[in-house]
């Protein structure tokens, strides 16, 4: 199926779409089988997103507020995608129903989705603020050009290694601290899937001075992954 992703890229457009959805849901949620709890959760996520975005756009913007804003927008997107996948189906919804939600009728023409043939590269920087690192994702030089279908987004993995390597107890903990530097992303924990070029990653206070490792690979819209890019690292401030 072609047609691209329905979720807007800009924060303002995401806010506008969710405001529109909730306005329509006031009269349509019951008929469309949308659980009240999901409407409540989306309403709360929208309120939090509005609040955090206002802070980021103001003179009170900090590295911490940017991370908080990223998190609430991800939560709002998760709520929206759940509702879209389980309740906003065509049919039974008609083209007019979808248009009222700022969605278009999906194209039923099958278009093959290729597996990614490229590799991403990661550059790690310090955005300012305690316990924060910024991972910038780009195409690895010399690899094949990006394909919008095969290189739909990035699967970002990360790991943390205490100075000198983790003890057996640390490695077996829920954080799965590293005992040695990783060779590739298979040795790291999946952090998140993202379509952003930059991700600000926060760490616990006690992890200051440890080394963070990142690795990524492209995924297509079906979740099929390409080859790992190189591992990048930085000391956690």
């Amino acid at each position: 199926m072609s047609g691209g992703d329905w979720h807007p890229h800009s924060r303002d457009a995401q806010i506008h779409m969710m405001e529109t959805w909730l306005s329509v849901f006031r009269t349509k949620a019951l008929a469309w089988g949308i659980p009240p709890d999901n409407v409540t959760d989306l309403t709360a996520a929208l309120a939090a997103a509005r609040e955090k975005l206002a802070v980021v756009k103001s003179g009170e913007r900090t590295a911490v507020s940017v991370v908080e804003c990223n998190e609430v927008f991800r939560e709002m997107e998760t709520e929206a995608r759940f509702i879209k996948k389980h309740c906003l189906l065509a049919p039974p919804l008609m083209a007019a129903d979808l248009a009222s939600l700022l969605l278009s009728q999906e194209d039923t023409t099958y278009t093959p989705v290729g597996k990614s043939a490229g590799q991403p590269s990661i550059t790690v920087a310090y955005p300012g603020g305690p316990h924060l690192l910024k991972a910038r994702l780009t195409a690895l030089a010399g690899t094949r050009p990006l394909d919008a279908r095969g290189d739909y987004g990035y699967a970002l993995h990360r790991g943390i290694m205490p100075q000198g390597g983790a003890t057996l107890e640390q490695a077996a903990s829920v954080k799965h601290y590293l005992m040695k530097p990783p060779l590739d992303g298979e040795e790291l924990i999946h952090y998140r899937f993202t379509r952003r070029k930059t991700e600000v990653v926060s760490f616990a206070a006690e992890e200051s001075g440890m080394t963070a490792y990142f690795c990524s690979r492209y995924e297509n819209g079906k979740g099929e992954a390409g080859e790992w890019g190189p591992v990048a690292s930085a000391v956690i401030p």
Side-chain angles (χ1 to χ4, degrees):
M1 186 175 293
S2 63
D5 188 41
W6 57 269
H7 194 260
H9 292 298
S10 77
R11 296 281 171 79
D12 289 327
Q14 291 168 21
I15 292 284
H16 176 59
M17 173 175 271
M18 293 306 102
E19 289 174 339
T20 302
W21 281 24
L22 289 170
S23 176
V24 174
F25 290 169
R26 291 191 187 102
T27 57
K28 296 289 188 177
L30 182 61
W32 291 349
I34 304 173
D37 286 349
N38 290 109
V39 176
T40 299
D41 290 345
L42 182 60
T43 302
L46 173 60
R50 281 200 197 106
E51 178 184 351
K52 296 299 182 183
L53 184 60
V55 173
V56 167
K57 287 184 173 182
S58 73
E60 300 176 11
R61 176 190 177 107
T62 64
V64 173
S65 69
V66 171
V67 173
E68 292 175 342
C69 186
N70 290 341
E71 292 296 337
V72 296
F73 269 86
R74 287 191 194 95
E75 181 178 348
M76 184 172 71
E77 180 179 351
T78 297
E79 297 292 343
R81 287 190 182 280
F82 181 89
I83 294 173
K84 171 67 167 63
K85 181 177 180 180
H86 293 87
C87 305
L88 307 182
L89 306 176
L93 270 65
M94 299 294 102
D97 297 324
L98 295 173
S100 71
L101 298 169
L102 308 181
L103 299 169
S104 60
Q105 182 78 42
E106 292 183 336
D107 183 0
T108 57
T109 303
Y110 176 76
T111 303
V113 178
K115 186 176 179 179
S116 174
Q119 290 174 276
S121 175
I122 300 177
T123 302
V124 186
Y126 296 92
H131 326 309
L132 297 175
L133 290 174
K134 179 168 65 177
R136 177 171 175 76
L137 299 113
T138 57
L140 182 63
T143 59
R144 292 181 61 177
L146 298 186
D147 183 315
R149 294 171 300 169
D151 307 316
Y152 179 73
Y154 304 91
L156 180 62
H157 291 236
R158 76 166 188 178
I160 305 169
M161 190 179 76
Q163 295 181 17
T167 64
L168 288 173
E169 183 179 3
Q170 288 175 315
S173 71
V174 293
K175 292 292 189 75
H176 297 292
Y177 287 117
L178 298 167
M179 301 179 71
K180 59 181 179 60
L183 298 177
D184 59 31
E186 294 292 347
E187 301 179 51
L188 305 178
I189 299 173
H190 182 268
Y191 178 63
R192 67 168 49 109
F193 173 84
T194 181
R195 300 193 71 192
R196 299 182 183 279
K197 302 295 185 182
T198 300
E199 285 287 342
V200 177
V201 184
S202 60
F203 299 86
E206 62 269 20
E207 291 168 343
S208 179
M210 298 184 185
T211 301
Y213 292 89
F214 298 93
C215 194
S216 183
R217 55 187 176 183
Y218 291 116
E219 284 188 2
N220 63 18
K222 295 164 61 178
E224 296 173 331
E227 298 297 323
W228 291 109
V231 175
S233 64
V235 175
I236 301 169

